[in-house]
């Protein structure tokens, strides 16, 4: 029922439309404090309606120990299902999620890697060219949090020239009492700030924060890819009438954000 | 009408004009005429209406007659209906009675059957005719349980009870006997007996058990065959033709054996056990397959020192090991692993196809839930079997080793790079792409999509970082300039050469003996870069075709696999454009360091040729060309060198850069000169010859690049300042001015015979 398997030409499904920059999970560990997209990006988005812009893709790599729930997290978001049975991922799985962000189509390629040691060789071949690295750990298993450093290091090794957005995600939140959760989260936030990552606690079983997390990730990846593209185009060609574009944008921005206030995006 | 009658008198007072009166009168007359015509037509119709009325009156009595008939008919119908009702109720009773009779007969038959079975089983068992006995038991089992219950209530309790218990006893007895017999037959390996008893099981309702025992028999057969094959494989001499692939071959034999077993026994299973049972059979067989495959894989790992090699490779990749392994040594083992995986994939595909079609037959009428359940258990069987896990593990190691193989071999190709005179590119490009293609091709031959994608990614990395780096460093050494620049450049290039050889260590040990060699090296590298970006596109297209073939064979999981490959291929294509960028950088470098320093003095030498000339000098110039011929000759010399050494695409690119350079430099120079009327004419001639020459060496038009200069020449050629207005603004016609008004004034000012007041006065 989702757009997971759909082809490129199919319109974006309604529950994948993001109009405002979603908020962070916790201000102690967050990549961007802005309330809305970068002004230049918004301008370009307005402009993009008329142009048939190129295909916009961000590559997301999900890493972490085995049995922390990487596949469950992705399946909850992409297919809205939760399968209690553990099935080890073989090599890599792959999902395509299509979004419409600030009126511009954007595609996330989510590469779900295997956590088992024996698949590390095959999985690590997929780390390159990632715009987003999601390191996942199990909130109920503190050891897996320790291992995220190594996972991130491995993933970053294949992306030396670019600086991907990094997220640290704790899963299985439903298994913990609020007090336990707070304790683990404090540790996680510390590690996240070392990694320069944004921290999120989620539960694939209840669905808590899953959509919020993916939306946030998609929006930040989108913003980054737009900024990169703008930089490239401003390097190669002189922009004529750019000032004009921005002026139009400022007028049009207010009604747009009002029209599409996303319900239920508040933090919990 | 009344209305009108009322209205008209009112109006009459208002009507003062005779014309108006006349018109109204006319109107009234008109109306009168139409009314009259209407009336006329009504009167005409009167006759026909009267006739119709008479006809109607005549029909009156007939209608009464019809009414009587109709009520009579209805009475008859009611009667008939009642009669039919009566008859049919009797028929229904009859039918019910008939059904009951049938049931009674059926029951009697059943009871008779039961008795017959009781007797039959005993005799059959005594005669060891197990088929017969099983048929009796089957008959008994298929009887309605309620019949037996009813028979029991029938009265002759004791006899039937004893008989029934006898029958049940016989059934149990038979089950035990058949199981024993089957086990015995299995032990003896007596296929006809095995099949005989195997067929009896479903009659006794023991489908699962029958399949279990039968597959146990098949498994022992497979096991002994597999053990033999493995034994044979271990004995293969190294010199034999397929020695390098012996484990893949053994695995193939195992799979083929199982496939043959499935082929031969599927009909029996289907006939005696019904459709939908193949899954159970294969599930049992797969256990043995896993066991045997693992043995082969274990032997393979042991004999080929697979893990050891992996360890060494991994240490080498980490660059913390002194022990090195020759990539060439890995070649055969990598091929064997991919072949093994390909065979396993083929085998699993075979199983999937067989089981799916078997389920399809069985589930054609089954609800959605059961079909899904079956599909799920099939996936579980195929994905979670030990065989696929083992294969995945092998492939995991394979990828690292293949990556190592590719990296090392590419490095070697770079190190052994040679260039033959007359060739545009050097050997390393072809070699490198041969290697990349081979490695990806090998990954493809494993039929594993994940493996293929992983290798495409590694190839992308190798091309983008390792190989591009090599070419980049070569280009960074620059193109040695000749003449004056030599000394200057010599120092800096030596420095950069030292730096780069320090950084890379191995690629530039050859050094560059002469500037001639350095030049060739630079040009060859440019060609290499171009060919690389071409080759990547070719590689992508080839891979797309190959993948399409792979998918058409039905491997992989369809859409998802396709999306994975598309994504990896698009990353690969991105590298092609990086090479294109590199080519552009190299060309710019060539243009600024080698061409600009030479061309610029040639152009500035124009300054030393006075264009403030009179008739006499103009004629002199006519006879002895002062500048342009020499310039063209020098350019010719400069470009020939590049034309020979560069591919036509790059050469075109370069000449385009050169022409742009000439245009800008010449423009600058012109702004520094002064011109007389004839000097302007002279420049116009010079420019025309130059453009004519440049057109011959470029493939596309250069008119556009020289548009500004041509326009400047036009201005310098004017008779009077005001003549410009014939070409400017509304008079410009098809000409589009590339010069701004300020520039036009500037150019006009270059003419010494034009007064600055006139120029200032111009309205542009």
């Amino acid at each position: 029922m989702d757009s997971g398997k759909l082809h490129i030409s199919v319109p974006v499904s309604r529950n994948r439309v993001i109009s405002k920059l979603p908020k962070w999970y916790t201000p102690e560990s967050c990549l961007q404090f802005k309330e809305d997209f970068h002004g230049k990006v918004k301008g370009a988005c307005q402009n993009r309606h008329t142009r048939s812009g190129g295909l916009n893709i961000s590559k997301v790599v999900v890493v972490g120990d085995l049995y922390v729930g990487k596949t469950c997290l992705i399946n909850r978001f992409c297919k809205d299902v939760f399968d209690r049975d553990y099935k080890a991922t073989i090599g890599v799985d792959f999902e395509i999620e299509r979004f419409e962000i600030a009126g511009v189509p954007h595609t996330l390629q989510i590469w779900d890697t295997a956590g088992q040691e024996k698949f590390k060789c095959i999985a690590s071949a997929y780390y390159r060219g990632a715009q987003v690295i999601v390191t996942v750990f199990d909130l109920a298993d503190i050891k897996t949090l320790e291992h995220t450093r190594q996972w991130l290091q491995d993933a970053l090794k294949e992306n030396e020239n670019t600086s991907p957005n990094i997220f640290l995600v704790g899963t299985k939140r439903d298994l913990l009492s609020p007090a336990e959760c707070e304790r683990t989260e404090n540790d996680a936030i510390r590690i996240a700030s070392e990694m320069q990552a944004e921290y999120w606690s989620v539960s694939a079983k209840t669905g808590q924060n899953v959509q919020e997390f993916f939306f946030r990730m998609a929006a930040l990846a989108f913003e980054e890819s737009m900024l990169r593209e703008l930089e490239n185009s401003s390097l190669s060609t002189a922009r004529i009438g750019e000032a004009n574009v921005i002026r139009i944008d400022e007028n049009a921005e207010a009604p747009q954000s009002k029209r599409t206030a996303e319900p239920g995006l508040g933090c919990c | 009408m009344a209305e009108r009658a009322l209205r008209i008198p009112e109006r009459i007072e208002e009507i003062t004009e005779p014309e108006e009166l006349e018109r109204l009168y006319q109107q009234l007359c008109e109306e009168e005429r139409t009314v009259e015509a209407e009336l006329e037509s009504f009167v005409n119709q009167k006759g026909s209406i009267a006739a119709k009325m008479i006809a109607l009156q005549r029909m009156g009595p007939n209608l009464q007659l019809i009414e009587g008939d109709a009520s009579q008919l209805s009475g008859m119908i009611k009667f008939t209906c009642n009669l039919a009702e009566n008859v049919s109720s009797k028929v229904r009773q009859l039918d019910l009675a008939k059904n009951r009779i049938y049931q009674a007969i059926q029951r009697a038959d059943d009871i008779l059957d039961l008795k017959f079975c009781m007797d039959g089983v005993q005799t059959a068992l005594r005669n060891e005719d197990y088929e017969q006995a099983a048929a009796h038991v089957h008959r008994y089992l298929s009887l309605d349980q309620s019949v037996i219950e009813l028979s029991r209530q029938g009265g002759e309790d004791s006899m039937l009870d004893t008989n029934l218990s006898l029958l049940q006893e016989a059934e149990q007895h038979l089950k035990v006997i058949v199981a024993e017999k089957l086990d015995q037959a299995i032990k003896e390996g007596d296929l006809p007996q095995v099949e005989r008893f195997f067929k009896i099981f479903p009659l006794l309702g023991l489908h699962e058990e029958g399949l279990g025992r039968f597959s146990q028999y098949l498994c022992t057969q497979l096991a002994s065959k597999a053990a033999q094959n493995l034994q044979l494989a271990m004995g293969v001499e190294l010199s034999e033709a397929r020695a390098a692939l012996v484990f893949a071959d053994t695995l193939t034999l195992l799979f083929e054996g199982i496939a043959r077993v499935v082929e031969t026994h599927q009909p029996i299973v289907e006939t005696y056990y019904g459709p939908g049972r193949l899954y159970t059979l294969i599930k049992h067989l797969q256990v043995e397959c896993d066991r045997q495959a693992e043995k082969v894989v274990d032997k393979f790992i042991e004999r080929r020192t697979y893990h050891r090699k992996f360890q060494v490779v991994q240490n080498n990749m980490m660059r913390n090991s002194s022990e090195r392994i020759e990539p060439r040594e890995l070649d055969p083992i990598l091929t064997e692993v991919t072949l093994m995986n390909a065979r396993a994939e083929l085998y699993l595909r075979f199983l999937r196809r067989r089981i799916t079609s078997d389920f399809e037959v069985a589930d054609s009428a089954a609800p959605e839930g059961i079909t899904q359940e079956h599909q799920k258990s099939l996936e579980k069987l195929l994905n979670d079997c030990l065989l696929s896990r083992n294969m995945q593990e092998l492939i995991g190691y394979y990828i690292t080793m293949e990556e190592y193989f590719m990296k090392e071999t590419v490095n070697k190709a770079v190190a052994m790079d040679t260039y033959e005179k007359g060739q545009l590119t050097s050997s390393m490009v072809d070699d490198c792409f041969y290697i990349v293609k081979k490695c990806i091709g090998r990954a493809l031959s494993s039929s594993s999509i994940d493996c293929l994608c992983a290798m495409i990614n590694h190839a992308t990395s190798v091309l983008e970082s390792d190989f591009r780096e090599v070419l980049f460093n070569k280009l960074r050494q620059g193109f040695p300039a000749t003449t004056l620049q030599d000394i200057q450049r010599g120092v800096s290039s030596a420095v950069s050469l030292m730096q780069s050889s320090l950084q890379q260590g191995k690629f530039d040990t050859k050094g560059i003996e002469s500037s001639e060699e350095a030049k060739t090296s630079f040009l060859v590298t440019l060609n290499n870069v171009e060919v690389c970006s071409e080759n990547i596109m070719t590689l992508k297209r080839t891979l797309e075709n190959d993948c399409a073939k792979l998918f058409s064979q039905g491997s992989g999981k369809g859409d998802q696999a396709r999306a994975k490959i598309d994504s990896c291929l698009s990353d690969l294509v991105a590298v092609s454009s990086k090479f294109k960028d590199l080519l552009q950088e190299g060309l710019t470098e060539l243009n600024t360091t080698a061409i600009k320093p030479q061309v610029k003095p040639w152009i500035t030498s124009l300054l030393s040729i006075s264009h403030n000339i009179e008739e006499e000098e103009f004629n002199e110039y006519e006879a002895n060309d002062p500048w342009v011929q020499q310039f063209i000759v020098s350019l010719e010399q400069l470009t020939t060198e590049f034309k020979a050494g560069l591919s036509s695409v790059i050469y075109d690119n370069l000449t385009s850069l050169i022409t742009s350079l000439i245009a800008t430099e010449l423009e600058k120079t012109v702004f520094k000169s002064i011109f007389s009327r004839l000097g302007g004419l002279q420049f116009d001639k010079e420019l025309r010859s130059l453009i004519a020459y440049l057109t011959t060496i470029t493939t596309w038009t250069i008119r556009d690049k020289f548009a500004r200069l041509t326009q400047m020449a036009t201005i310098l050629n004017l008779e009077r300042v005001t003549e410009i207005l014939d070409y400017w603004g509304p008079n410009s016609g098809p000409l589009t001015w590339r010069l701004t008004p300020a520039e036009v004034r500037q150019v006009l000012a270059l003419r010494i015979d034009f007064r600055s007041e006139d120029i200032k006065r111009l309205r542009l």
Side-chain angles (χ1 to χ4, degrees):
Chain A
M1 62 177 240
D2 246 347
S3 52
K5 282 177 194 149
L6 296 185
H7 210 257
I8 299 295
S9 58
V10 178
V12 176
S13 78
R14 198 163 305 155
N15 55 4
R16 291 287 180 265
V17 175
I18 304 173
S19 49
K20 258 180 79 177
L21 186 67
K23 263 179 88 113
W24 54 84
Y25 173 72
T26 161
E28 283 120 352
S29 161
C30 131
L31 291 170
Q32 290 280 354
F33 281 106
K34 292 193 306 266
E35 293 282 350
D36 206 347
F37 292 112
H38 196 286
K40 265 198 228 160
V41 172
K42 278 196 293 182
C45 290
Q46 294 292 324
N47 207 18
R48 190 61 79 90
H49 277 298
T50 50
R51 271 193 287 160
S52 57
L55 207 59
N56 234 317
I57 296 181
S58 293
K59 181 172 167 179
V60 181
V61 175
V62 184
V63 295
D65 276 3
L66 73 158
Y67 196 56
V68 296
K70 298 179 288 297
T71 308
C72 277
L73 175 64
I74 292 165
N75 280 349
R76 165 58 78 192
F77 179 68
C78 296
K79 301 172 185 156
D80 201 21
V81 293
F82 179 77
D83 192 349
R84 200 179 290 272
D85 297 340
Y86 173 61
K87 253 174 66 190
T89 305
I90 299 162
V92 282
D93 273 350
F94 177 74
E95 291 292 339
I96 288 186
E97 250 334 289
R98 288 157 25 75
F99 291 87
E100 187 184 303
I101 305 173
V104 179
H106 190 82
T107 304
L108 281 193
Q109 272 181 2
I110 305 170
W111 294 85
D112 174 18
T113 65
Q116 278 175 299
E117 183 66 29
K118 65 174 174 185
F119 290 125
K120 227 173 170 177
C121 294
I122 193 161
S124 63
Y126 291 86
Y127 294 163
R128 68 180 308 283
Q131 273 90 43
V132 179
I133 297 173
V134 181
T135 47
V136 183
F137 72 98
D138 180 352
L139 280 168
D141 184 353
I142 200 75
K143 199 167 71 268
T144 60
L145 176 60
E146 297 296 322
H147 293 164
T148 51
R149 285 201 186 94
Q150 185 58 41
W151 282 108
L152 180 67
Q153 203 185 325
D154 290 347
L156 281 176
K157 208 167 65 192
E158 300 291 325
N159 292 288
E160 276 163 344
N161 299 324
T162 55
S163 49
N165 276 332
I166 302 162
F167 289 87
L168 179 67
V169 177
T171 54
K172 309 189 191 174
R173 186 182 167 146
D174 54 283
L175 296 182
L176 273 75
S177 69
E180 285 175 314
C181 186
E182 197 178 331
R183 213 174 323 128
T184 317
E185 268 191 6
N186 284 336
D187 291 343
I189 287 169
R190 191 170 38 76
I191 290 184
S193 51
E194 278 174 36
M195 293 177 169
Q196 294 177 306
E198 177 160 319
Y199 176 72
W200 281 78
S201 281
V202 301
S203 163
K205 190 172 159 194
T206 64
Q208 187 186 12
N209 288 340
V210 172
Q211 169 152 335
E212 289 83 342
F213 162 63
F214 274 95
F215 273 29
R216 170 86 174 160
M217 172 174 85
L220 289 183
F222 162 78
E223 188 181 32
E224 188 124 320
S225 99
M226 286 298 276
L227 283 175
R228 201 168 45 238
E229 197 178 302
L230 286 175
E231 200 177 312
N232 283 344
S233 63
S234 65
L235 280 179
S236 57
T237 55
R239 307 262 292 165
I240 300 164
E242 181 154 302
N244 202 11
V245 172
I246 285 178
R247 219 176 304 128
I248 291 167
D249 151 51
E250 277 163 0
N251 296 336
E253 177 265 317
Q256 201 215 11
S257 59
K258 221 183 291 165
R259 172 164 51 89
T260 37
E262 189 66 44
L265 258 191
C267 272
C268 52
Chain B
M1 274 312 225
E3 241 177 39
R4 184 174 297 178
L6 274 174
R7 248 192 293 137
I8 289 171
E10 263 180 20
R11 276 214 206 140
I12 283 171
E13 277 131 50
E14 290 166 28
I15 296 164
T16 45
E17 300 294 316
E19 290 91 8
E20 185 83 352
L21 205 63
E22 187 77 13
R23 205 179 50 75
L24 276 173
Y25 174 69
Q26 285 292 339
Q27 200 180 325
L28 284 175
C29 286
E30 195 91 356
E31 271 169 27
E32 191 186 349
R33 263 198 300 281
T34 51
V35 169
E36 235 162 60
E38 266 172 50
L39 275 174
E40 192 76 22
S41 76
F42 286 142
V43 170
N44 284 345
Q45 280 172 18
K46 187 195 163 200
S48 69
I49 289 169
K52 276 180 193 162
M53 287 303 290
I54 289 164
L56 276 175
Q57 272 166 1
R58 246 185 251 142
M59 275 154 82
N62 280 348
L63 279 176
Q64 273 168 358
L65 216 65
I66 288 169
E67 195 201 349
D69 285 357
S71 66
Q72 208 178 341
L73 184 62
S74 119
M76 269 164 81
I77 288 171
K78 208 169 278 170
F79 177 72
T80 316
C81 171
N82 281 337
L83 198 63
E85 198 74 34
N86 267 334
V87 173
S88 79
S89 81
K90 279 183 186 138
V91 171
R92 261 200 295 273
Q93 279 171 5
L94 272 176
D95 191 48
L96 194 68
K98 194 191 83 180
N99 270 343
R100 291 214 175 122
I101 291 169
Y102 273 138
Q103 277 176 3
I105 294 172
Q106 177 79 35
R107 192 152 299 169
D109 272 352
D110 284 352
I111 291 168
L112 279 177
D113 266 358
L114 206 57
K115 282 192 173 152
F116 178 62
C117 286
M118 291 175 210
D119 301 338
V121 165
Q122 301 294 334
T123 36
L125 276 180
R126 257 198 307 284
N127 298 340
E128 297 200 348
D129 187 352
Y130 300 112
E131 281 82 3
Q132 196 59 45
H136 287 310
V137 173
H138 182 65
R139 175 84 188 98
Y140 154 67
L141 288 175
S142 61
L143 282 184
D144 205 342
Q145 213 57 39
S146 61
V147 175
I148 295 164
E149 283 304 311
L150 272 175
S151 328
R152 228 175 245 187
Q153 290 162 6
E156 26 181 348
D157 290 39
S158 56
M159 221 263 285
L160 201 65
D161 258 352
T162 44
N163 273 347
L164 265 178
S165 62
L166 270 177
L167 194 53
Q168 272 156 2
E169 219 170 84
E171 183 197 342
Q172 295 306 327
H173 186 52
L174 188 60
K175 279 183 183 171
V176 175
I177 291 180
V178 171
E180 270 174 12
K181 290 273 179 189
L182 183 57
D183 283 347
Q184 199 188 339
I186 287 172
K187 213 173 279 169
E188 288 165 7
D190 184 354
L191 182 62
Q193 283 297 310
V194 170
E195 285 192 356
R196 180 186 164 196
F197 290 106
F198 173 59
K199 288 171 193 165
I200 292 174
F201 273 89
L203 295 176
L204 302 176
L206 299 170
H207 293 85
E208 292 288 321
E209 204 186 328
L211 282 171
R213 283 173 195 268
F214 185 53
S215 43
Q216 199 187 322
Y217 163 71
L218 296 176
C219 286
T220 48
Q221 301 274 306
L222 285 175
S224 69
K225 189 81 191 137
Q228 271 176 29
N229 285 335
L230 194 58
Q231 203 61 43
L232 276 177
M234 303 314 292
V236 165
E237 294 294 322
L238 278 176
S239 56
E240 277 177 49
R242 290 186 70 83
L245 295 173
V246 76
F247 290 103
D249 286 347
T250 313
L251 213 52
T252 314
L253 286 178
L254 172 66
F255 295 146
E256 280 173 356
I258 297 171
R260 213 171 300 124
V261 163
V262 173
E263 290 267 336
T264 35
H265 295 291
Q266 193 182 5
I268 296 188
V269 174
E270 214 165 287
T271 321
Y272 292 93
Y273 284 69
R277 300 283 178 179
L278 193 61
Y279 169 74
T280 322
L281 180 70
I282 287 176
K283 203 168 112 182
H284 287 296
L285 292 182
Q286 189 52 41
V287 178
E288 190 61 33
C289 173
D290 286 344
R291 205 177 298 142
Q292 297 305 329
E294 190 169 36
K295 278 187 194 160
V296 178
V297 169
D298 282 350
K299 275 280 173 234
F300 163 79
I301 289 171
E302 181 198 317
R303 280 289 171 102
R304 304 280 198 236
T305 59
Y306 193 63
H307 286 164
R308 168 102 194 90
K309 286 190 173 109
F310 171 73
Q311 279 298 325
V312 175
V313 163
Q314 207 175 28
N315 289 340
N316 277 339
M317 299 275 268
M318 305 279 193
R319 307 201 183 287
N320 54 7
S321 154
S322 53
E323 185 186 8
R324 296 199 68 79
I325 188 163
E326 266 296 301
R328 205 154 5 102
E329 275 177 48
L330 292 175
D331 205 26
I333 199 175
L334 294 177
T335 312
E336 192 170 17
V337 172
T338 50
L339 191 61
M340 283 164 83
N341 192 66
R343 295 292 188 241
E345 294 255 348
L346 188 67
Y347 164 74
L348 291 174
R349 231 158 43 221
F350 166 80
L351 293 190
R352 180 188 300 274
R353 211 169 45 236
R354 279 305 167 98
I355 296 177
T356 311
S357 57
D358 189 46
F359 271 148
E360 261 166 26
V361 176
D363 296 348
S364 53
E368 180 76 0
I370 295 206
T371 324
Q372 271 177 5
E373 186 71 25
H374 281 163
Q375 193 58 38
K376 228 174 159 178
S377 47
L378 169 64
E379 291 299 329
K380 197 168 150 51
L381 172 67
L382 296 184
N383 291 338
D384 294 357
C385 66
L386 190 63
L387 170 68
S388 41
R389 285 213 303 274
N390 270 324
M391 284 301 146
Q392 282 147 14
E393 215 162 307
L394 284 186
I395 284 295
Y397 293 135
Y398 157 80
I399 285 173
T400 309
M401 290 202 252
E402 186 76 281
E403 185 194 1
Y404 174 78
F405 177 84
M406 180 165 70
K407 269 195 171 161
E408 288 297 306
T409 327
V410 164
N411 283 347
K412 207 175 267 180
V414 169
M416 296 189 342
D417 187 31
T418 54
Y419 163 72
E420 274 178 45
K421 236 180 159 43
Q423 295 279 312
L424 287 177
T425 57
S426 67
S427 68
M428 71 173 168
V429 180
D430 285 348
D431 290 352
C432 173
F433 275 90
Y434 172 78
I435 294 158
V436 169
K437 226 165 130 178
K438 175 180 171 165
C439 292
I440 296 181
R442 187 149 55 194
L444 181 76
S445 76
S446 77
S447 330
S448 157
I449 298 296
D450 280 352
C451 170
L452 171 63
C453 289
M455 274 321 289
I456 294 177
N457 282 343
H458 281 316
T460 310
S461 292
V462 165
L463 289 175
E464 187 186 341
S465 13
D466 298 19
F467 195 58
R468 189 177 159 280
E469 196 77 351
V470 170
L471 296 175
F472 176 72
N473 281 323
K474 291 216 169 198
L475 287 183
R476 219 178 43 176
Q477 288 165 22
F479 186 82
T482 37
T483 64
L484 273 175
Q485 266 69 38
D486 259 358
I487 311 152
Q488 226 179 312
R489 291 268 312 157
V491 177
S492 67
S493 86
V495 170
S496 79
L497 186 67
M498 255 172 65
Q499 278 171 346
S500 58
S501 41
L502 276 176
Q503 277 166 3
Q504 308 176 19
K506 51 190 158 186
F507 298 130
D508 295 312
T509 40
K510 278 193 275 181
I512 289 162
E513 280 86 20
S514 68
S515 73
E516 204 48 45
E517 209 165 295
K519 276 184 187 172
T520 324
S521 155
F522 188 88
L523 297 186
V524 165
T525 308
L526 277 186
N527 290 326
N528 284 350
V529 171
E530 196 227 340
V531 172
C532 278
S533 80
E534 291 280 310
N535 281 357
I536 288 171
M537 296 313 286
T538 321
L539 183 63
K540 184 226 169 195
R541 275 193 297 273
T542 325
L543 283 175
E544 265 174 349
N545 285 336
D546 292 346
C547 289
K549 263 181 231 154
L550 193 66
F551 284 126
S552 68
Q553 287 164 11
S555 105
K557 274 177 246 150
D559 286 349
Q560 211 206 22
R562 216 172 282 253
K564 266 186 196 174
I565 287 183
D566 285 348
S567 157
C568 292
L569 283 180
S570 67
D571 280 359
L572 181 66
V573 169
V575 179
S576 170
S577 56
K578 291 210 168 152
F579 276 100
K580 278 200 186 108
D581 294 347
L582 184 60
L583 174 65
Q584 220 50 49
E585 272 173 45
L587 276 175
T588 320
E589 154 85 8
L590 184 63
N591 199 32
T592 47
T593 63
I595 291 170
K596 199 173 174 186
Q598 295 207 34
V599 172
K600 208 175 163 184
W602 296 340
I603 294 175
T604 37
S605 71
L606 182 69
L607 285 175
S608 60
I609 315 296
S610 168
H611 280 70
N612 180 12
I613 50 172
E614 293 309 317
E615 190 77 35
E616 191 184 329
E617 286 134 313
F618 182 73
N619 289 336
E620 158 105 31
Y621 283 171
E622 181 88 65
N624 297 316
D625 179 85
W627 175 73
V628 74
Q629 290 309 325
Q630 184 52 46
F631 181 46
I632 288 172
V633 169
S634 316
L635 271 181
E636 181 79 35
Q637 276 169 357
L638 183 69
T639 52
T640 349
E641 183 184 0
F642 294 122
K643 187 162 191 171
L646 289 172
S647 81
S648 59
V649 176
I650 309 180
Y651 180 69
D652 280 350
N653 231 322
L654 182 66
T655 46
S656 157
L657 283 174
I658 294 179
T659 40
S660 306
L661 173 73
I662 293 175
T664 36
E665 288 302 322
L666 192 57
E667 196 178 302
K668 277 190 221 158
T669 312
V670 168
F671 274 120
K672 287 183 204 149
S673 317
I674 48 168
F675 297 87
S676 63
R677 164 77 185 83
L678 282 172
L681 189 60
Q682 171 68 20
F683 175 67
D684 193 52
K685 273 169 61 185
E686 282 161 343
L687 187 65
R688 277 170 205 278
S689 343
L690 185 60
I691 291 175
Y693 166 70
L694 289 175
T695 310
T696 62
I697 62 163
T698 49
T699 48
W700 54 70
T701 175
I702 55 161
R703 201 173 292 277
D704 199 51
K705 287 186 177 150
F706 280 85
R708 281 168 61 87
L709 273 168
T710 325
Q711 286 168 9
M712 283 162 81
T714 311
I715 296 172
L716 291 174
N717 237 337
L718 295 178
E719 294 279 349
R720 305 178 307 280
V721 174
T722 49
E723 208 186 325
I724 181 73
L725 295 173
D726 294 345
Y727 303 98
W728 191 261
N731 299 327
S732 61
L735 183 75
T736 317
W737 281 93
R738 300 293 182 85
L739 299 173
T740 62
E743 280 167 339
V744 171
R745 282 177 218 280
Q746 213 182 334
V747 176
L748 283 169
L750 298 178
R751 277 284 289 274
I752 47 161
D753 50 337
F754 288 167
R755 291 194 309 162
S756 63
E757 300 89 77
D758 292 344
I759 298 172
K760 277 180 194 152
R761 216 177 293 135
L762 269 181
R763 291 173 176 279
L764 292 176

